[in-house]
Amino acid sequence: MKFVTNKLQTSASPDTRLVDPLGRVMNYLRLAVTDRCNLRCQYCMPAEGIPLNSRDHILQFEEMEQLIQIFQNLGVNKLRITGGEPFVRKGLLEFLKRVNNFEGINSINITTNAVFIGDIISDLEQLKIGSLNISLDSLQKDRFFKITRRDEFEIVMENIDKAIKSTIPVKLNMVVLAGINDDEILSFTHLAKDNRIEVRFIEQMPFSGGPASESIISADQILNILRQQYPLLYEQNLPNSTARIFYNPGYKGTIGIIAGYSRTFCSSCTRLRITPEGMLKTCLYDRGAVNLKEMLRSGKTDLQIKDAIIMAVQNRAKDGFESQERSSQDYNVSMAQIGG
Ligand code: SAM
Ligand code: SF4
């Protein structure tokens, strides 16, 4: 395999920014470091898992570091590490420690199912972690097993407890699944009463051959359920947040709702994604704009890669619906292959 080792050359001043046709400034990169996972969440993967890429087909850490450097020179200052399950990838912690030294990156965020984080919380505390987003779809052991198809409830709950007690800001992500866990919305919300965490409810997206749109519980429906129980709930508008954030008086934590399927937040979305296979996506719903891995491995210079990224952003769709229309998105793909 051939790595490009030239120092970053820049075609424009170092303060070049990635600006799309609607003036949105892309400063946030979500990097999926693997498509592998130790769980098999029903809404994300089939029971037998997804066809895996061979190791050669996914980006190496050196390649990811080279790309992050290019992106930081384009104004990206916030990183999210996701997957698959990021912590199944060997060497992740060392990679995170190296990226932590990148001056342009202000915050490293991680999305995880929490199975493997128990012993490394103190290592993570040393990094510039903006938030640790932990996916948990049920507070009931048998239901957790039914959803994830794995018996890891106890360790996940133990690790969530450790994370909450650490200095790292924690967000709990629950995908609301009709008829499966929608009766737990209030018990999840209650976790924000005494814990300084953000409990976030996510609309199910029809990836991995998921449900028809009419059986998805929408962000509005979730909000109605919350408002009935918490009439004093009030919203705080945050710029560039894909989550709508709510406060309930007397609660230490906050409540978020993410309309991933309704796509009501696109106008303020400043996210770019790199899939485990090294495709750059300018929207969750597109098929991929630039094959960065191919560019790296065919010896393209950083300057050429940078220009390809700038062009992809200049061609960014106005919202997820337009992206979907342009690319006729294949909903059989798993979020683990995209980097959810
Ligand atoms: N394995 C890690 C985890 O579960 O947190 C990171 C990868 S996972 C693909 C990232 C996020 O995508 C998780 O919060 C998961 O719940 C969410 N996700 C996966 N499939 C989804 C779907 N069909 N609809 C909505 N969210 C989904
Ligand atoms: Fe794995 Fe995360 Fe997908 Fe669940 S949601 S199967 S934990 S990648």
Side-chain angles (χ1 to χ4, degrees):
M1 185 180 309
K2 188 174 173 193
F3 294 115
V4 181
T5 52
N6 62 310
K7 252 179 110 43
L8 183 71
Q9 309 157 36
T10 46
S11 60
S13 59
D15 61 349
T16 303
R17 293 285 178 265
L18 289 168
V19 186
D20 79 1
L22 289 192
R24 293 168 291 195
V25 182
M26 306 287 121
N27 68 339
Y28 180 9
L29 178 65
R30 298 175 71 105
L31 180 65
V33 295
T34 180
D35 51 3
R36 292 168 196 245
C37 189
N38 52 319
L39 304 186
R40 292 285 177 277
C41 302
Q42 282 180 27
Y43 54 82
C44 181
M45 287 195 190
E48 67 280 11
I50 49 172
L52 293 175
N53 279 302
S54 70
R55 297 210 184 275
D56 258 8
H57 282 93
I58 62 168
L59 289 176
Q60 304 299 302
F61 282 130
E62 295 91 327
E63 292 172 312
M64 292 184 216
E65 283 163 53
Q66 188 177 345
L67 289 174
I68 295 169
Q69 270 175 14
I70 294 174
F71 276 96
Q72 76 173 5
N73 276 284
L74 286 166
V76 165
N77 55 23
K78 180 175 170 185
L79 208 60
R80 176 163 298 280
I81 305 299
T82 180
E85 172 47 42
F87 289 104
V88 301
R89 178 118 190 213
K90 286 201 179 67
L92 183 76
L93 192 57
E94 291 67 31
F95 164 75
L96 293 176
K97 286 178 183 169
R98 290 193 297 275
V99 173
N100 199 56
N101 292 327
F102 287 20
E103 277 184 11
I105 302 298
N106 299 336
S107 80
I108 301 173
N109 305 274
I110 306 175
T111 303
T112 174
N113 61 35
V115 174
F116 300 118
I117 63 168
D119 293 337
I120 55 162
I121 300 268
S122 54
D123 293 295
L124 297 178
E125 279 181 309
Q126 307 308 313
L127 306 175
K128 349 177 207 191
I129 303 285
S131 79
L132 184 66
N133 290 15
I134 300 179
S135 305
L136 176 73
D137 301 314
S138 180
L139 297 168
Q140 301 170 22
K141 184 175 158 62
D142 54 340
R143 212 178 251 186
F144 177 95
F145 180 76
K146 195 174 156 209
I147 296 171
T148 64
R149 304 185 179 106
R150 294 293 184 269
D151 189 11
E152 302 282 11
F153 181 73
E154 263 119 27
I155 189 75
V156 167
M157 294 307 284
E158 205 178 290
N159 290 346
I160 289 176
D161 193 47
K162 284 185 188 171
I164 290 176
K165 287 183 177 140
S166 77
T167 54
I168 304 168
V170 172
K171 298 181 184 177
L172 272 193
N173 284 354
M174 180 228 204
V175 178
V176 182
L177 305 163
I180 298 178
N181 66 1
D182 50 334
D183 58 345
E184 290 190 63
I185 290 177
L186 297 180
S187 350
F188 266 86
T189 308
H190 197 70
L191 296 175
K193 184 169 188 289
D194 295 320
N195 297 298
R196 217 170 281 287
I197 58 174
E198 190 171 302
V199 175
R200 302 164 14 131
F201 300 105
I202 305 180
E203 272 182 351
Q204 183 177 12
M205 291 174 267
F207 290 105
S208 208
S213 50
E214 32 326 328
S215 55
I216 287 172
I217 301 192
S218 70
D220 285 346
Q221 287 170 299
I222 297 168
L223 184 55
N224 281 341
I225 294 170
L226 291 172
R227 284 214 192 281
Q228 275 174 23
Q229 183 69 21
Y230 306 104
L232 299 179
L233 211 61
Y234 62 95
E235 184 169 4
Q236 190 193 39
N237 285 322
L238 295 175
N240 301 330
S241 172
T242 49
R244 288 179 69 185
I245 306 297
F246 297 89
Y247 290 84
N248 191 42
Y251 273 42
K252 287 188 179 156
T254 53
I255 299 142
I257 302 180
I258 304 180
Y261 182 62
S262 308
R263 284 161 266 184
T264 44
F265 50 69
C266 295
S267 61
S268 59
C269 174
T270 57
R271 288 157 180 70
L272 295 170
R273 287 182 155 78
I274 299 180
T275 70
E277 284 184 282
M279 283 298 285
L280 172 70
K281 285 166 77 75
T282 61
C283 170
L284 180 61
Y285 287 87
D286 74 29
R287 267 185 187 271
V290 183
N291 188 335
L292 295 170
K293 181 187 70 189
E294 214 271 320
M295 292 194 83
L296 286 169
R297 294 187 186 176
S298 63
K300 297 282 186 292
T301 63
D302 287 358
L303 182 59
Q304 287 170 310
I305 296 173
K306 186 178 168 189
D307 285 343
I309 295 168
I310 292 172
M311 272 178 62
V313 170
Q314 284 173 351
N315 192 33
R316 191 173 187 236
K318 73 172 187 302
D319 58 27
F321 296 101
E322 189 182 304
S323 286
Q324 189 180 345
E325 217 174 276
R326 282 192 199 171
S327 67
S328 44
Q329 172 73 280
D330 173 6
Y331 279 127
N332 282 320
V333 73
S334 159
M335 288 280 273
Q337 292 161 304
I338 303 172

